[in-house]
Each structure stands twice: as structure tokens, then as C-alpha cells.
Amino acid sequence: MVESGVMQSFKQVRIFQVPTAAVSGWRAQIAEACARAGWEYAEIQAGETLDDFNDNSVVVGWFSDTGDARAHWIVHTASPSHVLDLLINDGFDEREAVYHAGLRLAIASTVAERGAAVAYQSDPSLKIPGLGHVEAVGEGSSACANPRAAAFALYDRLPTLPGTRVAWGVDMFTYEKDTQGDDRRIELLGRRRLLFNGPNIALPPGVWVAKARFKIEPQDLADLFIEWGHGADAVYLRHEFVRAGKYELTLSRTWTKVEPADFRISIMTSALAGWLELDEVIVERAPDN
């Protein structure tokens, strides 16, 4: 359904939608509203070129080019659980779903921070300038409580401004094989190697601080290398632990574009005994420099 009213000439409307099971229902209703009003309707995917559209047009999809001053932008977002559920139902394993969900949500946050209006797919209607309120029908918006969704809490409301923080628990990281039970205790016995890394959840541009809390019991000395960043582009510190105890380490890095975030710890010299156990990594967006 579309709200009645006088249709007026308007600049382009572009709607960035995060993927959920409800998207096709929303798009069908938006397309119908456009048809009734004599507007142009189009869908686009990431990587496709934005063609020139006439005024009185709506372009829906996943893209991040907000340079067209004529366009009115809307971010149509949803809970991370909905995004993860759709990707998993489409055949992604959980690690892949985390990676791709993070990219979609981080780009949505970036577009929202640039000034786009933010609407939620759980809302009863979507206000489109020049068309009025479009209501979704057909597909439900329920989602299972995906246990990994808590790691995406920074995307529950957009945009993710300074002060936004999230806790990444032990289940979000990838470990070497020598771990014991759910607590992910890592035996330090062995050669120099990567102990754990992850979760490769994308972050939007900004200064992001990672605070790691962990326990360690070295036999004599544990020489650790701690990194925070994306791939080889990371900040790091190296520290020799000689006493058992609980520790907290903080690293800060500036994301200049949307990129997956990887926190990792390696042991730099071989060890004959000892263990390390991660509690959590707290990630927070700091004020921009």
C-alpha cells in the first residue's frame, strides 16, 4: 500500500538495504508504489555501475556511492540476526556469514553517517520522499536468536558513532587445534606460531580501540606478539610475560575505509609449558583525531 497524496517531481531516491528475508517483500511494494506514481524503479548490486536515472526514480540495492547530490539516500537496515540468518540459509557457513554480514552492515553504517536517513525493516512502513509511506506485506520479519549476533551489537542502531562499543567473546575467534573445552585455553607448549585470531567483522571508518582481557601462565617466559588491524596493515606490540596473572592490553588503529577487523596473538619463541586463556576483546569507537 502507498499513502495517498499529490505526487510531486523529486530528485532520485536511493535505498541501501541490508539483506534479510523481508527484503523481497519490501522491494515488491516499493516497485508497485513507483509503478502507480509513474516513477522509475531499479535494483542494483555491489560493483554494478550506477547509470543515470531520471528524476522521480527509486534505486534499491547494496551500494555505497553517495556522491550524487541529486539523490535522497535512505539506509534500510535490520537486526544483525536477520542478516546472519539469511546468509546462513543461503548456504554460507557461520564464519562466512559473519564476514559478509559485517561488510553489509559496516557499509550501511558508513552511508548513514554521511547523512542518509535511517529506517528499519521492522518498521510498519517506509517513508519515501515524493511517494509517501510504503508498507511491506508478505514476508515475516522474525529471526532466530543467532548466538553470533551479539558480536554485531554496534550495528543494532545506525550509524555507529564514537562511543559505540561491543564485546567479542571467545566463540568469535579462530584457534589453533590445541585448545581445551569451551574456555579456549591454549597450551603454549610448542614452536613459534599464531595462537588465535578473528573475528574479521568489518568496521566502518573511524578510530577503533581493541582492549583484550586474558589470563596467562608462562613457565618461565612467554614472548607474545599482539596485532590489531586488517591483514598485514595492523598496529602491534610485543611483550614478554614472566608472571602468571590476568592482563589487559589496548591497541588503537584508524580505519580509513570499511575493512574486516582482526585481533590476533602469536607466540614468538618456542615454549616448554604454560597456557593462555582469552576472556574477551572489547572494541570501541574512539573520537576521531
Side-chain angles (χ1 to χ4, degrees):
M1 296 177 61
V2 61
E3 184 182 74
S4 61
V6 177
M7 299 303 170
Q8 58 181 343
S9 177
F10 201 84
K11 58 188 177 182
Q12 296 178 20
V13 178
R14 293 181 181 167
I15 304 175
F16 181 105
Q17 285 183 316
V18 300
T20 72
V23 160
S24 60
W26 277 108
R27 290 185 178 184
Q29 290 300 97
I30 295 168
E32 182 178 338
C34 287
R36 289 177 179 175
W39 283 35
E40 183 178 5
Y41 173 83
E43 297 179 7
I44 194 170
Q45 300 298 321
E48 295 181 0
T49 301
L50 280 170
D51 296 323
D52 289 333
F53 291 92
N54 297 322
D55 286 344
N56 296 343
S57 63
V58 177
V59 183
V60 179
W62 170 40
F63 42 86
S64 57
D65 177 13
T66 59
D68 191 342
R70 295 178 302 158
H72 179 94
W73 278 80
I74 300 171
V75 170
H76 203 199
T77 190
S79 72
S81 280
H82 286 84
V83 181
L84 287 167
D85 284 352
L86 176 69
L87 294 172
I88 291 171
N89 289 337
D90 282 350
F92 291 95
D93 65 32
E94 289 214 352
R95 295 291 179 185
E96 292 173 327
V98 164
Y99 175 83
H100 289 285
L103 287 177
R104 269 69 164 181
L105 290 164
I107 295 173
S109 178
T110 303
V111 176
E113 191 169 352
R114 290 173 182 168
V118 178
Y120 296 86
Q121 294 178 25
S122 58
D123 293 342
S125 64
L126 173 65
K127 184 178 181 180
I128 301 178
L131 284 182
H133 289 273
V134 176
E135 299 177 1
V137 297
E139 298 182 25
S141 60
S142 61
C144 298
N146 191 297
R148 296 188 181 275
F152 290 86
L154 68 167
Y155 297 125
D156 286 343
R157 307 296 295 180
L158 298 184
T160 55
L161 299 175
T164 303
R165 69 198 308 256
V166 65
W168 288 343
V170 295
D171 289 341
M172 295 306 300
F173 294 88
T174 301
Y175 300 82
E176 64 166 1
K177 63 181 180 179
D178 296 324
T179 58
Q180 297 180 357
D182 293 336
D183 62 359
R184 296 294 192 265
R185 177 171 292 186
I186 304 169
E187 298 300 327
L188 299 180
L189 170 66
R191 56 180 175 77
R192 168 179 173 172
R193 67 202 186 277
L194 176 68
L195 299 177
F196 71 87
N197 72 295
N200 287 310
I201 292 176
L203 298 176
V207 179
W208 290 92
V209 178
K211 182 182 295 183
R213 295 167 176 163
F214 59 92
K215 307 177 188 73
I216 189 169
E217 185 174 297
Q219 184 189 45
D220 295 313
L221 178 148
D223 183 4
L224 299 185
F225 188 61
I226 301 97
E227 301 170 90
W228 170 234
H230 172 63
D233 186 5
V235 295
Y236 62 88
L237 63 86
R238 186 169 178 174
H239 187 77
E240 295 181 346
F241 293 84
V242 296
R243 287 191 293 270
K246 295 182 178 181
Y247 291 88
E248 184 175 283
L249 294 174
T250 300
L251 290 171
S252 177
R253 177 184 181 267
T254 299
W255 264 248
T256 59
K257 59 183 178 180
V258 171
E259 287 181 323
D262 187 18
F263 185 90
R264 53 188 181 263
I265 294 183
S266 302
I267 186 165
M268 301 304 290
T269 57
S270 58
L272 298 176
W275 54 263
L276 180 145
E277 183 178 314
L278 177 68
D279 290 333
E280 62 182 357
V281 178
I282 305 294
V283 175
E284 181 172 0
R285 183 172 174 185
D288 296 335
N289 294 329

